[in-house]
Amino acid sequence: MIDRVGLINTARINPANQQGSAAQGQNPTAPGVSFKDVLLDNLKSANQLQQDATTAIEDLQTGQRNDLETVLMATQKADTAFKMLQAVRNKVMDAYEEIKQIRV
């Protein structure tokens, strides 16, 4: 998957870079980066993008900035990051609902 927004850090998720990789001769079931940590990092990144977009819009409105293209790019990045996180949330909720339906 190509991350055009820059929210997914491929170096942290790449199995070859994890400490528990089989290529290093260690236990392949050793924990790597947790989903929670990746999700929290992406939430922080999306929040930072939203704050940057808000600052850019405020600067444009007050006349401190006159480059409309940069403001539009910052706004689009923040929107794309939010949509990505919303899609992840929806998939997690779908998985949760499916797990709830499993009979034990």
Side-chain angles (χ1 to χ4, degrees), residues 33-99:
V33 177
S34 70
F35 177 75
K36 174 188 160 191
D37 293 338
V38 172
L39 185 62
L40 287 175
D41 287 345
N42 286 334
L43 282 169
K44 289 176 187 173
S45 296
N47 186 36
Q48 184 61 45
L49 286 170
Q50 184 67 42
Q51 290 174 355
D52 292 346
T54 301
T55 302
I57 290 169
E58 288 173 355
D59 288 349
L60 182 68
Q61 290 174 342
T62 58
Q64 296 175 357
R65 173 184 292 230
N66 60 1
D67 55 339
L68 182 62
E69 297 85 10
T70 307
V71 175
L72 289 175
M73 284 179 50
T75 304
Q76 286 297 322
K77 279 184 179 182
D79 185 51
T80 303
F82 177 76
K83 287 179 180 177
M84 182 199 66
L85 288 175
Q86 190 174 22
V88 169
R89 177 231 175 243
N90 290 341
K91 289 291 184 181
V92 168
M93 291 305 295
D94 290 343
Y96 174 72
E97 292 296 326
E98 188 173 328
I99 290 171

Side-chain angles (χ1 to χ4, degrees), residues 9-24 26 31-33:
N9 187 353
T10 55
R12 292 183 56 192
I13 298 173
N14 187 355
N17 292 340
Q18 291 181 355
Q19 292 178 351
S21 72
Q24 294 174 349
Q26 297 176 359
V33 177

